Amino acid sequence: METQLSNIMKQLENIEQKDIIKRVTGRITKLWEPKTFNGPKGEFTIQGGEIEIDGDHYGLKFFNQTHDSDKLKGRTVTLVSTRGKHGLNGVTLDHESFSKKDGEKVDRDVIKVTATGKIEIDGEQQQSAPKSQPSIGNDSDPGAALEDIVKTHLYVDSLVRIAYKDKGYDEETLRSYVSSIFIEANRKGIAIKAQAPVVSLDPADWASAIVPSGSNKGKKLAEIGKPALKKLYAFYLEKGFDSDFGKCVEQAGADLKLDDEGGDDLPDIEW
C-alpha cells in the first residue's frame, strides 16, 4: 500500500512552475460558472475551480473552454496535454497569489488548462461547450457562401448608415465603421442574419422617409416629385395610414394640402 501511495504522489513531484504537464489525474472539488473578460487580444473566458491531486489541493482554471459544473464537480478526471505544431501544450502548472473580498490571502499552485488541453472521465474525452459562430455562409457551396457574405455586409452597411445619418460623417468614416462592426461581430461569433433593418420613421421628417416599394423604391419622399407624391397619398388614403411610412405620407399630404387638389390627371404610377 505504501509503495502504491508513493507512486501516486509522484504525479507532480518533478513538475516546476510553468512546466507542461503531460497528464494528471485528480478529483474536481469545486467548479464555478465561466466568466468572460476582454484583454489586449480580444475576448476570452475563464472557468475557475479547485482540484485535489494525490491529497493536495490546487486551483483549477480552464481558459477558453467551459464545462458543466454539475457534471464535473466531485468527479475524478484526467487532464491531458496535446501535441501540435508548437509541441506539447494544454496543461501547465502555474501559481497565483491574491486576497479574497473578506481579506483572506490565497497563495497556491494552479493547474491551468488552455483550449488545447483535454479532459477525460473514465477514459472518455469530454468536449468543451462549443462557441457559437456566425452563420454567414454555406460551406458546401462556395458561390452561395460568397453571396451570403455580401448580403450580410450590405445589411451591416445599412445599419451603420441609418444609425449615423445625423452625424455628418464622411464616406471614408462610414466605411471604416462598417468594416469594424462586420469584423467584430464575426470575431465574437455573433450570428448575423441579413434582413431589412428596422427603421423608426418620424412623420415630422417625412421628406427623408424612403419609399419602400414601387417604381420610386429607394428614393426619399422629397425626391419623387409632387405628382408621384399625390398618387402615393391617394393610395394610402384608400389603404390606410397605419404603417410608419404611411404616417409620413399622411403628414406630407397635410403639409402640402394634397386633399385640396384634384388627382384625376395624375400619371399612372405603380406602388
Side-chain angles (χ1 to χ4, degrees):
M1 184 69 172
E2 291 182 0
T3 300
Q4 292 178 347
L5 183 60
S6 177
N7 290 335
I8 294 176
M9 292 291 286
K10 292 181 181 180
Q11 279 195 97
L12 300 179
E13 184 175 347
N14 297 317
I15 301 295
E16 302 292 338
Q17 297 297 324
K18 305 299 182 182
D19 279 356
I20 303 295
I21 301 173
K22 185 175 182 180
R23 62 188 298 122
V24 63
T25 299
R27 185 175 67 90
I28 295 180
T29 57
K30 295 180 182 179
L31 189 62
W32 299 287
E33 293 300 314
K35 293 183 179 180
T36 302
F37 303 88
N38 284 307
K41 296 183 179 180
E43 191 176 88
F44 63 96
T45 60
I46 298 179
Q47 186 172 19
E50 294 181 2
I51 185 170
E52 181 182 351
I53 301 174
D54 307 331
D56 295 323
H57 293 270
Y58 297 80
L60 176 64
K61 286 188 177 180
F62 291 103
F63 286 79
N64 289 328
Q65 59 167 294
T66 58
H67 299 277
D68 187 339
S69 58
D70 292 332
K71 181 179 179 180
L72 293 187
K73 192 163 54 177
R75 299 291 299 273
T76 297
V77 303
T78 299
L79 306 175
V80 185
S81 288
T82 59
R83 189 171 297 278
K85 62 181 181 180
H86 298 298
L88 194 66
N89 212 329
V91 184
T92 57
L93 179 64
D94 210 334
H95 190 84
E96 64 181 5
S97 298
F98 62 92
S99 296
K100 295 183 178 180
K101 292 181 179 180
D102 60 5
E104 178 186 354
K105 292 186 177 180
V106 176
D107 188 72
R108 65 182 182 181
D109 288 335
V110 179
I111 306 299
K112 178 180 176 181
V113 185
T114 63
T116 56
K118 306 299 180 184
I119 180 169
E120 297 177 355
I121 300 178
D122 300 328
E124 295 184 1
Q125 181 176 312
Q126 304 298 303
Q127 298 294 328
S128 171
K131 188 174 182 179
S132 61
Q133 294 297 326
S135 177
I136 58 174
N138 184 346
D139 292 337
S140 62
D141 187 342
L146 289 175
E147 289 181 5
D148 287 342
I149 293 174
V150 171
K151 289 179 181 178
T152 304
H153 192 274
L154 290 174
Y155 172 59
V156 175
D157 181 85
S158 297
L159 289 179
V160 169
R161 293 180 186 279
I162 290 171
Y164 297 107
K165 67 177 181 179
D166 298 326
K167 300 295 184 181
Y169 294 146
D170 58 25
E171 183 64 20
E172 184 178 356
T173 300
L174 291 174
R175 288 181 179 179
S176 69
Y177 282 4
V178 171
S179 298
S180 61
I181 292 173
F182 186 79
I183 293 171
E184 183 69 7
N186 187 54
R187 185 183 67 80
K188 290 187 175 181
I190 299 175
I192 304 174
K193 183 179 180 181
Q195 57 187 9
V198 178
V199 184
S200 179
L201 300 177
D202 180 8
D205 186 28
W206 60 263
S208 299
I210 305 298
V211 179
S213 61
S215 57
N216 286 299
K217 179 180 179 180
K219 293 183 179 179
K220 296 180 180 180
L221 281 179
E223 299 172 342
I224 67 175
K226 194 171 183 180
L229 184 56
K230 289 169 66 176
K231 187 71 175 181
L232 184 59
Y233 179 77
F235 171 80
Y236 275 95
L237 187 63
E238 180 178 349
K239 178 183 177 181
F241 300 104
D242 298 325
S243 66
D244 287 347
F245 181 72
K247 288 181 173 61
C248 289
V249 175
E250 182 180 27
Q251 186 62 47
D255 290 348
L256 299 177
K257 298 181 173 56
L258 297 182
D259 274 331
D260 299 336
E261 302 183 22
D264 294 337
D265 59 342
L266 294 177
D268 186 16
I269 301 175
E270 297 180 358
W271 297 103

